[in-house]
Amino acid sequence: MNIPSKHLSGVDLDLLPVLDALLRRRNITHAGRDVGLSQPAMSRALGRLRHLFGDPLLVRQAGGFALTPKADRLAPQVAAALEQVGALFRDVSFDPAVEQRTIRLVAADAQTLLLMPEVMQRLSRAAPGIRLAVEGYGPETIDHMRQGRIDFTFALSSTSLPSGAESMVLGEDRLVLVTRRGHPLAAGPVTAEDYARFPHAVVAIFGDGQSEIDAALAARKLSRRIAISTPHFAAALAVVAATDYVTTMSEALARRFAGPFDLAMTPSPLAPQPLSITLVWNRIRSADPALIWFRDLLRDVADTVYRLPADQKTKA
């Protein structure tokens, strides 16, 4: 935290969780709720922190506060320091039944729809004091993980992970072409040329929907027409169910909603390789017993979600 050691004896260490909450929340009121302080008390604490670090730390802007460059550099150090200090006093034993905390995840609606119902059912029985807060992916996701503002996110095994990240494979999935059941392509088999014949509903979590599908089509001198781009997998399925559009997505998700939406799934000739679904977290969170317990719970749930039926395991 860049404070000379000769000054440490005069530093109020109670300010450490206050600083962590302020850097994570970027909101005095919300940070105060996290640490159990009123807004006036938080404002006074922020003043002391600004004096201690010789920096504004949080600067007011339209819609809230922004971190100064120094505060942005401090955020991961503060999170790591709190984790290490907490480990000194943390009981070796962990009892999920009495744990009171919030676990923060970044996920697409695919993971939320597939995993969260069973996860929450188990939490309600075994750990009713644990609350989940799920947010969508964004350009700030990696920074938020680095700063300790989120605990977990989901990725594919092929995704490049940032430094300091650890991961665990949750299960295996694959991409399939999804259509309404009466669609001309529903009976299969589907060719690359078929991809170019029908408009597509595309799920674009980060960008404009361009993907390995487009690259595979381009290699064959083909392209597809994107009729709708949405960040929501469920929306793409609903659109496909009502039109002659097609979409390419997780077989596990499509299988879950094939009945309600009356959908058909066809193996994709452009993305035949299986996908390893992984859970990602920052190394500074590795020793937290509550998060270790939650990782195991999530892996157990994912094992039932991403396990292909025996009669489908050999299909391309």
PDB file of all heavy atoms in Angstrom, residues 210-222:
ATOM      1  N   GLN A 210     -19.209 -11.486 -34.633  1.00  0.00           N
ATOM      2  CA  GLN A 210     -18.270 -12.201 -35.489  1.00  0.00           C
ATOM      3  C   GLN A 210     -17.566 -13.270 -34.654  1.00  0.00           C
ATOM      4  O   GLN A 210     -17.228 -13.062 -33.504  1.00  0.00           O
ATOM      5  CB  GLN A 210     -17.252 -11.235 -36.081  1.00  0.00           C
ATOM      6  CG  GLN A 210     -17.875 -10.150 -36.946  1.00  0.00           C
ATOM      7  CD  GLN A 210     -18.657 -10.724 -38.113  1.00  0.00           C
ATOM      8  OE1 GLN A 210     -18.111 -11.475 -38.918  1.00  0.00           O
ATOM      9  NE2 GLN A 210     -19.924 -10.386 -38.207  1.00  0.00           N
ATOM     10  N   SER A 211     -17.360 -14.438 -35.234  1.00  0.00           N
ATOM     11  CA  SER A 211     -16.850 -15.551 -34.448  1.00  0.00           C
ATOM     12  C   SER A 211     -16.130 -16.539 -35.342  1.00  0.00           C
ATOM     13  O   SER A 211     -15.909 -16.302 -36.533  1.00  0.00           O
ATOM     14  CB  SER A 211     -18.015 -16.256 -33.743  1.00  0.00           C
ATOM     15  OG  SER A 211     -18.832 -16.893 -34.718  1.00  0.00           O
ATOM     16  N   GLU A 212     -15.772 -17.674 -34.728  1.00  0.00           N
ATOM     17  CA  GLU A 212     -15.129 -18.734 -35.500  1.00  0.00           C
ATOM     18  C   GLU A 212     -16.067 -19.279 -36.573  1.00  0.00           C
ATOM     19  O   GLU A 212     -15.616 -19.827 -37.584  1.00  0.00           O
ATOM     20  CB  GLU A 212     -14.672 -19.858 -34.570  1.00  0.00           C
ATOM     21  CG  GLU A 212     -15.776 -20.637 -33.889  1.00  0.00           C
ATOM     22  CD  GLU A 212     -16.242 -19.989 -32.603  1.00  0.00           C
ATOM     23  OE1 GLU A 212     -15.819 -18.849 -32.312  1.00  0.00           O
ATOM     24  OE2 GLU A 212     -17.040 -20.618 -31.890  1.00  0.00           O
ATOM     25  N   ILE A 213     -17.371 -19.134 -36.379  1.00  0.00           N
ATOM     26  CA  ILE A 213     -18.327 -19.545 -37.409  1.00  0.00           C
ATOM     27  C   ILE A 213     -18.117 -18.721 -38.673  1.00  0.00           C
ATOM     28  O   ILE A 213     -18.062 -19.255 -39.790  1.00  0.00           O
ATOM     29  CB  ILE A 213     -19.776 -19.394 -36.905  1.00  0.00           C
ATOM     30  CG1 ILE A 213     -20.033 -20.329 -35.720  1.00  0.00           C
ATOM     31  CG2 ILE A 213     -20.771 -19.657 -38.036  1.00  0.00           C
ATOM     32  CD1 ILE A 213     -20.010 -21.782 -36.054  1.00  0.00           C
ATOM     33  N   ASP A 214     -17.994 -17.415 -38.502  1.00  0.00           N
ATOM     34  CA  ASP A 214     -17.771 -16.544 -39.656  1.00  0.00           C
ATOM     35  C   ASP A 214     -16.432 -16.839 -40.325  1.00  0.00           C
ATOM     36  O   ASP A 214     -16.314 -16.802 -41.552  1.00  0.00           O
ATOM     37  CB  ASP A 214     -17.839 -15.080 -39.222  1.00  0.00           C
ATOM     38  CG  ASP A 214     -19.199 -14.715 -38.669  1.00  0.00           C
ATOM     39  OD1 ASP A 214     -20.132 -14.526 -39.463  1.00  0.00           O
ATOM     40  OD2 ASP A 214     -19.330 -14.666 -37.441  1.00  0.00           O
ATOM     41  N   ALA A 215     -15.411 -17.134 -39.512  1.00  0.00           N
ATOM     42  CA  ALA A 215     -14.105 -17.460 -40.076  1.00  0.00           C
ATOM     43  C   ALA A 215     -14.170 -18.753 -40.880  1.00  0.00           C
ATOM     44  O   ALA A 215     -13.579 -18.855 -41.973  1.00  0.00           O
ATOM     45  CB  ALA A 215     -13.072 -17.572 -38.960  1.00  0.00           C
ATOM     46  N   ALA A 216     -14.901 -19.742 -40.363  1.00  0.00           N
ATOM     47  CA  ALA A 216     -15.034 -21.007 -41.080  1.00  0.00           C
ATOM     48  C   ALA A 216     -15.802 -20.831 -42.387  1.00  0.00           C
ATOM     49  O   ALA A 216     -15.478 -21.444 -43.411  1.00  0.00           O
ATOM     50  CB  ALA A 216     -15.736 -22.035 -40.189  1.00  0.00           C
ATOM     51  N   LEU A 217     -16.830 -19.973 -42.359  1.00  0.00           N
ATOM     52  CA  LEU A 217     -17.573 -19.693 -43.596  1.00  0.00           C
ATOM     53  C   LEU A 217     -16.698 -18.947 -44.588  1.00  0.00           C
ATOM     54  O   LEU A 217     -16.706 -19.250 -45.793  1.00  0.00           O
ATOM     55  CB  LEU A 217     -18.820 -18.861 -43.270  1.00  0.00           C
ATOM     56  CG  LEU A 217     -19.979 -19.604 -42.597  1.00  0.00           C
ATOM     57  CD1 LEU A 217     -21.034 -18.614 -42.124  1.00  0.00           C
ATOM     58  CD2 LEU A 217     -20.602 -20.625 -43.545  1.00  0.00           C
ATOM     59  N   ALA A 218     -15.929 -17.977 -44.109  1.00  0.00           N
ATOM     60  CA  ALA A 218     -15.061 -17.190 -45.002  1.00  0.00           C
ATOM     61  C   ALA A 218     -14.033 -18.079 -45.678  1.00  0.00           C
ATOM     62  O   ALA A 218     -13.679 -17.854 -46.850  1.00  0.00           O
ATOM     63  CB  ALA A 218     -14.376 -16.078 -44.211  1.00  0.00           C
ATOM     64  N   ALA A 219     -13.555 -19.090 -44.961  1.00  0.00           N
ATOM     65  CA  ALA A 219     -12.582 -20.009 -45.552  1.00  0.00           C
ATOM     66  C   ALA A 219     -13.184 -20.785 -46.709  1.00  0.00           C
ATOM     67  O   ALA A 219     -12.454 -21.265 -47.591  1.00  0.00           O
ATOM     68  CB  ALA A 219     -12.062 -20.972 -44.491  1.00  0.00           C
ATOM     69  N   ARG A 220     -14.513 -20.889 -46.731  1.00  0.00           N
ATOM     70  CA  ARG A 220     -15.216 -21.567 -47.818  1.00  0.00           C
ATOM     71  C   ARG A 220     -15.821 -20.568 -48.805  1.00  0.00           C
ATOM     72  O   ARG A 220     -16.673 -20.925 -49.602  1.00  0.00           O
ATOM     73  CB  ARG A 220     -16.314 -22.471 -47.238  1.00  0.00           C
ATOM     74  CG  ARG A 220     -15.789 -23.620 -46.380  1.00  0.00           C
ATOM     75  CD  ARG A 220     -16.918 -24.251 -45.576  1.00  0.00           C
ATOM     76  NE  ARG A 220     -16.542 -25.461 -44.893  1.00  0.00           N
ATOM     77  CZ  ARG A 220     -15.880 -25.519 -43.742  1.00  0.00           C
ATOM     78  NH1 ARG A 220     -15.506 -24.382 -43.151  1.00  0.00           N
ATOM     79  NH2 ARG A 220     -15.582 -26.670 -43.189  1.00  0.00           N
ATOM     80  N   LYS A 221     -15.392 -19.306 -48.672  1.00  0.00           N
ATOM     81  CA  LYS A 221     -15.899 -18.217 -49.515  1.00  0.00           C
ATOM     82  C   LYS A 221     -17.417 -18.044 -49.348  1.00  0.00           C
ATOM     83  O   LYS A 221     -18.144 -17.791 -50.306  1.00  0.00           O
ATOM     84  CB  LYS A 221     -15.525 -18.427 -50.978  1.00  0.00           C
ATOM     85  CG  LYS A 221     -14.020 -18.386 -51.235  1.00  0.00           C
ATOM     86  CD  LYS A 221     -13.700 -18.551 -52.704  1.00  0.00           C
ATOM     87  CE  LYS A 221     -12.232 -18.269 -52.984  1.00  0.00           C
ATOM     88  NZ  LYS A 221     -11.280 -19.000 -52.124  1.00  0.00           N
ATOM     89  N   LEU A 222     -17.877 -18.215 -48.117  1.00  0.00           N
ATOM     90  CA  LEU A 222     -19.282 -18.054 -47.791  1.00  0.00           C
ATOM     91  C   LEU A 222     -19.427 -17.016 -46.681  1.00  0.00           C
ATOM     92  O   LEU A 222     -18.464 -16.689 -45.984  1.00  0.00           O
ATOM     93  CB  LEU A 222     -19.886 -19.385 -47.307  1.00  0.00           C
ATOM     94  CG  LEU A 222     -19.916 -20.541 -48.313  1.00  0.00           C
ATOM     95  CD1 LEU A 222     -20.286 -21.841 -47.600  1.00  0.00           C
ATOM     96  CD2 LEU A 222     -20.908 -20.246 -49.432  1.00  0.00           C
TER      97      LEU A 222
END
